[in-house]
Amino acid sequence: MALKALIFDVDGTLAETEELHRLAFNRAFEEAGLSWHWDQPLYRRLLKVTGGRERIEAHAAETGSAGVDAPALHKRKTAFYKAAMEDSAIRLRTGVGRLIQVGLDSGLALAIATTTSRSNVDALFRATLGLEVLDRFRSVRTGEDVRAKKPDPEVYRLVLEDLGLAAAECVAFEDSANGLRAAKALGIPTVVTPGIYTGNDDFYGADRVLPDLGLLFEPADPFPGNCPPGFADLLEGARGRVPA
Ligand code: XBP
Ligand code: MG
């Protein structure tokens, strides 16, 4: 089957957002008078639980903290995250902007499959490529649309339904084992670019693991057979062009 769509995870894949998430969690804890503080090693472990509210609940259970209002804390965390995103100098990871541009120029469908919320996706695009670029994505599915978050494949299933495409017509881009499991559960060819928190994850089954997506455009990068015909051609075509 020919390549028809590129599906992007958000946190860790489009940009290194997890430090902003972590700091926002800590601000919410502080504001609520909790003595919790998530440092980087703890947060790396807690990231195995996908979804911010679920992460708070998991930590409350683990520490035996009764009476913690996880939904309220998560709401405040989201407010802090959005404010921090606005003030941040966040940049997309290497190669991400170019791949999105190449996809749009080639008439491919673009999609988002993320665990975070729609407002957080908007905040990231507002701070980077602009909301007008996000408007050109044909499907944007988030943690708010699903009953079960990654590694459950539900968010990817919704995206495939929106696009009306088969898994083999798409390529997914992920940074974590949970994301990879979700995409591969449906048989979507997946390229993994590990992020600052996911370098030690198990990426068994990935079609490609690369330090960043910019390397896809290197002339010496032959893409292996498991991706739809057209992905290698897409990159090959883009290599000759100067990135915007
Ligand atoms: C990674 C996540 C998210 C964020 C927090 O999402 O696990 O839960 O850490 O986001 P992605 P919320 O699928 O984009 O990699 O607090 O908004 O849930
Ligand atoms: Mg991710």
Side-chain angles (χ1 to χ4, degrees):
M1 281 195 214
L3 177 69
K4 301 271 179 57
L6 306 178
I7 308 173
F8 294 90
D9 165 53
V10 174
D11 292 309
T13 299
L14 295 186
E16 291 287 11
T17 50
E18 286 301 351
E19 276 302 271
L20 288 183
H21 282 295
R22 186 176 71 82
L23 298 175
F25 280 113
N26 284 331
R27 287 199 65 185
F29 301 154
E30 228 171 88
E31 183 187 64
L34 283 170
S35 60
W36 291 1
H37 179 82
W38 290 356
D39 61 14
Q40 291 178 340
L42 176 59
Y43 194 63
R44 175 169 291 110
R45 193 164 60 70
L46 289 171
L47 269 176
K48 302 288 175 227
V49 180
T50 56
R53 183 180 45 77
E54 292 84 346
R55 199 166 295 146
I56 293 168
E57 285 165 356
H59 188 65
E62 207 175 273
T63 53
S65 315
V68 165
D69 186 345
L73 276 173
H74 188 243
K75 204 169 158 201
R76 292 299 293 148
K77 175 261 170 181
T78 301
F80 284 127
Y81 177 79
K82 280 192 275 190
M85 179 65 80
E86 261 176 44
D87 294 341
S88 78
I90 193 124
R91 298 189 54 177
L92 296 178
R93 290 188 63 187
T94 306
V96 168
R98 189 172 179 192
L99 186 57
I100 287 174
Q101 193 57 54
V102 164
L104 288 171
D105 291 349
S106 311
L108 294 176
L110 299 186
I112 295 284
T114 179
T115 295
T116 199
S117 60
R118 175 65 197 241
S119 65
N120 284 355
V121 178
D122 288 355
L124 178 62
F125 273 80
R126 213 177 283 121
T128 55
L129 292 174
L131 281 179
E132 62 282 6
V133 175
L134 184 60
D135 282 344
R136 298 179 69 188
F137 279 59
R138 267 188 239 166
S139 169
V140 178
R141 290 297 191 163
T142 73
E144 290 159 324
D145 298 318
V146 298
R147 268 163 305 187
K149 293 176 178 169
K150 299 173 187 174
D152 190 285
E154 189 177 355
V155 72
Y156 277 102
R157 192 170 290 120
L158 290 174
V159 166
L160 292 183
E161 278 168 21
D162 288 345
L163 300 177
L165 295 175
E169 295 175 297
C170 306
V171 176
F173 301 90
E174 278 285 354
D175 70 305
S176 69
N178 278 326
L180 173 66
R181 298 281 101 76
K184 292 308 274 187
L186 301 181
I188 303 174
T190 305
V191 176
V192 176
T193 48
I196 53 171
Y197 275 108
T198 55
N200 292 327
D201 279 15
D202 175 5
F203 297 121
Y204 178 77
D207 295 272
R208 198 69 199 269
V209 182
L210 290 169
D212 65 64
L213 291 177
L215 293 171
L216 289 172
F217 299 100
E218 295 290 322
D221 192 77
F223 202 82
N226 220 6
C227 281
F231 190 58
D233 296 344
L234 177 82
L235 301 173
E236 186 60 44
R239 277 176 201 134
R241 275 182 260 142
V242 180

